[in-house]
PDB file of all heavy atoms in Angstrom:
ATOM      1  N   THR B  74      -9.605  15.113 -58.921  1.00 94.00           N
ATOM      2  CA  THR B  74     -11.050  14.874 -58.931  1.00 94.00           C
ATOM      3  C   THR B  74     -11.338  13.468 -59.439  1.00 94.00           C
ATOM      4  O   THR B  74     -10.653  12.975 -60.336  1.00 94.00           O
ATOM      5  CB  THR B  74     -11.730  15.904 -59.862  1.00 94.00           C
ATOM      6  OG1 THR B  74     -11.464  17.214 -59.365  1.00 94.00           O
ATOM      7  CG2 THR B  74     -13.233  15.692 -59.915  1.00 94.00           C
ATOM      8  N   VAL B  75     -12.363  12.848 -58.841  1.00 95.00           N
ATOM      9  CA  VAL B  75     -12.886  11.598 -59.380  1.00 95.00           C
ATOM     10  C   VAL B  75     -14.217  11.927 -60.045  1.00 95.00           C
ATOM     11  O   VAL B  75     -15.165  12.350 -59.373  1.00 95.00           O
ATOM     12  CB  VAL B  75     -13.080  10.538 -58.278  1.00 95.00           C
ATOM     13  CG1 VAL B  75     -13.748   9.293 -58.842  1.00 95.00           C
ATOM     14  CG2 VAL B  75     -11.750  10.190 -57.636  1.00 95.00           C
ATOM     15  N   ARG B  76     -14.268  11.739 -61.344  1.00 92.00           N
ATOM     16  CA  ARG B  76     -15.491  12.058 -62.092  1.00 92.00           C
ATOM     17  C   ARG B  76     -16.530  10.952 -61.904  1.00 92.00           C
ATOM     18  O   ARG B  76     -16.181   9.771 -61.830  1.00 92.00           O
ATOM     19  CB  ARG B  76     -15.178  12.198 -63.582  1.00 92.00           C
ATOM     20  CG  ARG B  76     -14.296  13.389 -63.936  1.00 92.00           C
ATOM     21  CD  ARG B  76     -13.906  13.303 -65.401  1.00 92.00           C
ATOM     22  NE  ARG B  76     -15.074  13.175 -66.256  1.00 92.00           N
ATOM     23  CZ  ARG B  76     -15.551  14.151 -67.030  1.00 92.00           C
ATOM     24  NH1 ARG B  76     -14.925  15.310 -67.066  1.00 92.00           N
ATOM     25  NH2 ARG B  76     -16.609  13.969 -67.771  1.00 92.00           N
ATOM     26  N   LEU B  77     -17.788  11.350 -61.841  1.00 92.00           N
ATOM     27  CA  LEU B  77     -18.851  10.370 -61.649  1.00 92.00           C
ATOM     28  C   LEU B  77     -18.882   9.340 -62.781  1.00 92.00           C
ATOM     29  O   LEU B  77     -19.025   8.138 -62.529  1.00 92.00           O
ATOM     30  CB  LEU B  77     -20.206  11.076 -61.554  1.00 92.00           C
ATOM     31  CG  LEU B  77     -21.404  10.145 -61.384  1.00 92.00           C
ATOM     32  CD1 LEU B  77     -21.351   9.418 -60.041  1.00 92.00           C
ATOM     33  CD2 LEU B  77     -22.719  10.917 -61.508  1.00 92.00           C
ATOM     34  N   ASP B  78     -18.724   9.805 -64.022  1.00 92.00           N
ATOM     35  CA  ASP B  78     -18.814   8.856 -65.142  1.00 92.00           C
ATOM     36  C   ASP B  78     -17.677   7.840 -65.104  1.00 92.00           C
ATOM     37  O   ASP B  78     -17.865   6.672 -65.456  1.00 92.00           O
ATOM     38  CB  ASP B  78     -18.863   9.590 -66.491  1.00 92.00           C
ATOM     39  CG  ASP B  78     -17.758  10.614 -66.668  1.00 92.00           C
ATOM     40  OD1 ASP B  78     -16.996  10.850 -65.706  1.00 92.00           O
ATOM     41  OD2 ASP B  78     -17.650  11.185 -67.773  1.00 92.00           O
ATOM     42  N   ASP B  79     -16.503   8.270 -64.652  1.00 94.00           N
ATOM     43  CA  ASP B  79     -15.386   7.321 -64.502  1.00 94.00           C
ATOM     44  C   ASP B  79     -15.657   6.338 -63.360  1.00 94.00           C
ATOM     45  O   ASP B  79     -15.397   5.137 -63.482  1.00 94.00           O
ATOM     46  CB  ASP B  79     -14.075   8.067 -64.232  1.00 94.00           C
ATOM     47  CG  ASP B  79     -13.603   8.858 -65.444  1.00 94.00           C
ATOM     48  OD1 ASP B  79     -14.001   8.498 -66.578  1.00 94.00           O
ATOM     49  OD2 ASP B  79     -12.843   9.827 -65.263  1.00 94.00           O
ATOM     50  N   LEU B  80     -16.162   6.867 -62.248  1.00 95.00           N
ATOM     51  CA  LEU B  80     -16.434   6.015 -61.079  1.00 95.00           C
ATOM     52  C   LEU B  80     -17.483   4.951 -61.416  1.00 95.00           C
ATOM     53  O   LEU B  80     -17.376   3.796 -60.981  1.00 95.00           O
ATOM     54  CB  LEU B  80     -16.902   6.891 -59.911  1.00 95.00           C
ATOM     55  CG  LEU B  80     -17.187   6.186 -58.583  1.00 95.00           C
ATOM     56  CD1 LEU B  80     -15.964   5.424 -58.067  1.00 95.00           C
ATOM     57  CD2 LEU B  80     -17.647   7.200 -57.534  1.00 95.00           C
ATOM     58  N   GLN B  81     -18.479   5.336 -62.195  1.00 95.00           N
ATOM     59  CA  GLN B  81     -19.539   4.384 -62.562  1.00 95.00           C
ATOM     60  C   GLN B  81     -18.995   3.214 -63.384  1.00 95.00           C
ATOM     61  O   GLN B  81     -19.587   2.143 -63.401  1.00 95.00           O
ATOM     62  CB  GLN B  81     -20.639   5.114 -63.347  1.00 95.00           C
ATOM     63  CG  GLN B  81     -21.469   6.040 -62.465  1.00 95.00           C
ATOM     64  CD  GLN B  81     -22.406   6.933 -63.255  1.00 95.00           C
ATOM     65  OE1 GLN B  81     -22.090   7.343 -64.378  1.00 95.00           O
ATOM     66  NE2 GLN B  81     -23.551   7.242 -62.672  1.00 95.00           N
ATOM     67  N   LYS B  82     -17.865   3.446 -64.071  1.00 95.00           N
ATOM     68  CA  LYS B  82     -17.278   2.383 -64.904  1.00 95.00           C
ATOM     69  C   LYS B  82     -16.195   1.599 -64.165  1.00 95.00           C
ATOM     70  O   LYS B  82     -15.611   0.677 -64.727  1.00 95.00           O
ATOM     71  CB  LYS B  82     -16.690   3.005 -66.184  1.00 95.00           C
ATOM     72  CG  LYS B  82     -17.756   3.509 -67.150  1.00 95.00           C
ATOM     73  CD  LYS B  82     -17.133   4.103 -68.388  1.00 95.00           C
ATOM     74  CE  LYS B  82     -16.854   5.555 -68.205  1.00 95.00           C
ATOM     75  NZ  LYS B  82     -16.414   6.290 -69.373  1.00 95.00           N
ATOM     76  N   TYR B  83     -15.912   2.002 -62.919  1.00 95.00           N
ATOM     77  CA  TYR B  83     -14.836   1.356 -62.162  1.00 95.00           C
ATOM     78  C   TYR B  83     -15.205  -0.090 -61.852  1.00 95.00           C
ATOM     79  O   TYR B  83     -16.352  -0.404 -61.548  1.00 95.00           O
ATOM     80  CB  TYR B  83     -14.605   2.126 -60.857  1.00 95.00           C
ATOM     81  CG  TYR B  83     -13.465   1.606 -60.014  1.00 95.00           C
ATOM     82  CD1 TYR B  83     -12.146   1.806 -60.394  1.00 95.00           C
ATOM     83  CD2 TYR B  83     -13.708   0.908 -58.832  1.00 95.00           C
ATOM     84  CE1 TYR B  83     -11.098   1.338 -59.619  1.00 95.00           C
ATOM     85  CE2 TYR B  83     -12.667   0.441 -58.051  1.00 95.00           C
ATOM     86  CZ  TYR B  83     -11.370   0.660 -58.449  1.00 95.00           C
ATOM     87  OH  TYR B  83     -10.331   0.183 -57.687  1.00 95.00           O
ATOM     88  N   GLU B  84     -14.226  -0.966 -61.955  1.00 93.00           N
ATOM     89  CA  GLU B  84     -14.446  -2.382 -61.631  1.00 93.00           C
ATOM     90  C   GLU B  84     -13.574  -2.765 -60.449  1.00 93.00           C
ATOM     91  O   GLU B  84     -12.409  -2.358 -60.364  1.00 93.00           O
ATOM     92  CB  GLU B  84     -14.116  -3.256 -62.844  1.00 93.00           C
ATOM     93  CG  GLU B  84     -15.076  -3.031 -64.000  1.00 93.00           C
ATOM     94  CD  GLU B  84     -14.775  -3.949 -65.181  1.00 93.00           C
ATOM     95  OE1 GLU B  84     -13.876  -4.801 -65.061  1.00 93.00           O
ATOM     96  OE2 GLU B  84     -15.445  -3.779 -66.214  1.00 93.00           O
ATOM     97  N   ALA B  85     -14.149  -3.535 -59.536  1.00 89.00           N
ATOM     98  CA  ALA B  85     -13.409  -3.959 -58.344  1.00 89.00           C
ATOM     99  C   ALA B  85     -12.086  -4.602 -58.753  1.00 89.00           C
ATOM    100  O   ALA B  85     -12.034  -5.412 -59.667  1.00 89.00           O
ATOM    101  CB  ALA B  85     -14.245  -4.945 -57.534  1.00 89.00           C
ATOM    102  N   GLY B  86     -11.035  -4.195 -58.065  1.00 90.00           N
ATOM    103  CA  GLY B  86      -9.711  -4.744 -58.346  1.00 90.00           C
ATOM    104  C   GLY B  86      -8.908  -3.931 -59.344  1.00 90.00           C
ATOM    105  O   GLY B  86      -7.707  -4.169 -59.513  1.00 90.00           O
ATOM    106  N   ALA B  87      -9.554  -2.973 -60.003  1.00 94.00           N
ATOM    107  CA  ALA B  87      -8.842  -2.139 -60.980  1.00 94.00           C
ATOM    108  C   ALA B  87      -7.939  -1.144 -60.251  1.00 94.00           C
ATOM    109  O   ALA B  87      -8.105  -0.891 -59.050  1.00 94.00           O
ATOM    110  CB  ALA B  87      -9.845  -1.397 -61.857  1.00 94.00           C
ATOM    111  N   ASP B  88      -6.987  -0.588 -60.982  1.00 96.00           N
ATOM    112  CA  ASP B  88      -6.057   0.388 -60.413  1.00 96.00           C
ATOM    113  C   ASP B  88      -6.826   1.666 -60.059  1.00 96.00           C
ATOM    114  O   ASP B  88      -7.356   2.338 -60.949  1.00 96.00           O
ATOM    115  CB  ASP B  88      -4.962   0.687 -61.453  1.00 96.00           C
ATOM    116  CG  ASP B  88      -3.952   1.715 -60.943  1.00 96.00           C
ATOM    117  OD1 ASP B  88      -4.081   2.154 -59.784  1.00 96.00           O
ATOM    118  OD2 ASP B  88      -3.045   2.064 -61.725  1.00 96.00           O
ATOM    119  N   PRO B  89      -6.876   2.036 -58.776  1.00 97.00           N
ATOM    120  CA  PRO B  89      -7.644   3.238 -58.394  1.00 97.00           C
ATOM    121  C   PRO B  89      -7.061   4.529 -58.961  1.00 97.00           C
ATOM    122  O   PRO B  89      -7.774   5.523 -59.095  1.00 97.00           O
ATOM    123  CB  PRO B  89      -7.584   3.222 -56.863  1.00 97.00           C
ATOM    124  CG  PRO B  89      -6.396   2.396 -56.521  1.00 97.00           C
ATOM    125  CD  PRO B  89      -6.263   1.380 -57.610  1.00 97.00           C
ATOM    126  N   ASP B  90      -5.770   4.490 -59.298  1.00 97.00           N
ATOM    127  CA  ASP B  90      -5.151   5.704 -59.859  1.00 97.00           C
ATOM    128  C   ASP B  90      -5.801   6.130 -61.170  1.00 97.00           C
ATOM    129  O   ASP B  90      -5.753   7.314 -61.540  1.00 97.00           O
ATOM    130  CB  ASP B  90      -3.656   5.464 -60.097  1.00 97.00           C
ATOM    131  CG  ASP B  90      -2.863   5.657 -58.825  1.00 97.00           C
ATOM    132  OD1 ASP B  90      -2.785   4.701 -58.039  1.00 97.00           O
ATOM    133  OD2 ASP B  90      -2.358   6.767 -58.614  1.00 97.00           O
ATOM    134  N   THR B  91      -6.401   5.167 -61.876  1.00 96.00           N
ATOM    135  CA  THR B  91      -7.003   5.501 -63.165  1.00 96.00           C
ATOM    136  C   THR B  91      -8.213   6.427 -63.000  1.00 96.00           C
ATOM    137  O   THR B  91      -8.655   7.032 -63.976  1.00 96.00           O
ATOM    138  CB  THR B  91      -7.450   4.227 -63.908  1.00 96.00           C
ATOM    139  OG1 THR B  91      -8.403   3.529 -63.088  1.00 96.00           O
ATOM    140  CG2 THR B  91      -6.267   3.309 -64.192  1.00 96.00           C
ATOM    141  N   LEU B  92      -8.736   6.520 -61.781  1.00 97.00           N
ATOM    142  CA  LEU B  92      -9.899   7.384 -61.555  1.00 97.00           C
ATOM    143  C   LEU B  92      -9.515   8.839 -61.288  1.00 97.00           C
ATOM    144  O   LEU B  92     -10.373   9.721 -61.321  1.00 97.00           O
ATOM    145  CB  LEU B  92     -10.723   6.867 -60.376  1.00 97.00           C
ATOM    146  CG  LEU B  92     -11.488   5.563 -60.598  1.00 97.00           C
ATOM    147  CD1 LEU B  92     -12.379   5.266 -59.396  1.00 97.00           C
ATOM    148  CD2 LEU B  92     -12.331   5.626 -61.847  1.00 97.00           C
ATOM    149  N   LEU B  93      -8.244   9.080 -60.985  1.00 97.00           N
ATOM    150  CA  LEU B  93      -7.841  10.454 -60.655  1.00 97.00           C
ATOM    151  C   LEU B  93      -7.711  11.289 -61.926  1.00 97.00           C
ATOM    152  O   LEU B  93      -7.002  10.921 -62.854  1.00 97.00           O
ATOM    153  CB  LEU B  93      -6.510  10.461 -59.903  1.00 97.00           C
ATOM    154  CG  LEU B  93      -6.438   9.696 -58.587  1.00 97.00           C
ATOM    155  CD1 LEU B  93      -5.120   9.977 -57.882  1.00 97.00           C
ATOM    156  CD2 LEU B  93      -7.612  10.029 -57.680  1.00 97.00           C
ATOM    157  N   SER B  94      -8.416  12.398 -61.935  1.00 93.00           N
ATOM    158  CA  SER B  94      -8.282  13.320 -63.066  1.00 93.00           C
ATOM    159  C   SER B  94      -8.004  14.713 -62.522  1.00 93.00           C
ATOM    160  O   SER B  94      -8.049  14.947 -61.309  1.00 93.00           O
ATOM    161  CB  SER B  94      -9.541  13.308 -63.939  1.00 93.00           C
ATOM    162  OG  SER B  94     -10.642  13.781 -63.207  1.00 93.00           O
ATOM    163  N   GLY B  95      -7.738  15.645 -63.398  1.00 91.00           N
ATOM    164  CA  GLY B  95      -7.433  17.007 -62.964  1.00 91.00           C
ATOM    165  C   GLY B  95      -5.999  17.117 -62.516  1.00 91.00           C
ATOM    166  O   GLY B  95      -5.083  16.693 -63.219  1.00 91.00           O
ATOM    167  N   GLY B  96      -5.800  17.660 -61.345  1.00 93.00           N
ATOM    168  CA  GLY B  96      -4.440  17.865 -60.833  1.00 93.00           C
ATOM    169  C   GLY B  96      -3.892  19.228 -61.184  1.00 93.00           C
ATOM    170  O   GLY B  96      -2.864  19.642 -60.661  1.00 93.00           O
ATOM    171  N   LYS B  97      -4.605  19.958 -62.046  1.00 94.00           N
ATOM    172  CA  LYS B  97      -4.170  21.316 -62.397  1.00 94.00           C
ATOM    173  C   LYS B  97      -4.871  22.311 -61.480  1.00 94.00           C
ATOM    174  O   LYS B  97      -5.429  23.316 -61.921  1.00 94.00           O
ATOM    175  CB  LYS B  97      -4.486  21.605 -63.871  1.00 94.00           C
ATOM    176  CG  LYS B  97      -3.794  20.665 -64.850  1.00 94.00           C
ATOM    177  CD  LYS B  97      -2.292  20.844 -64.812  1.00 94.00           C
ATOM    178  CE  LYS B  97      -1.556  19.893 -65.733  1.00 94.00           C
ATOM    179  NZ  LYS B  97      -1.767  20.182 -67.136  1.00 94.00           N
TER     180      LYS B  97
END
Side-chain angles (χ1 to χ4, degrees):
Chain B
T74 300
V75 175
R76 293 172 54 107
L77 179 66
D78 51 354
D79 291 337
L80 182 58
Q81 288 171 327
K82 289 180 271 188
Y83 183 73
E84 294 182 4
D88 179 2
D90 278 84
T91 59
L92 290 186
L93 301 188
S94 64
K97 299 295 178 69

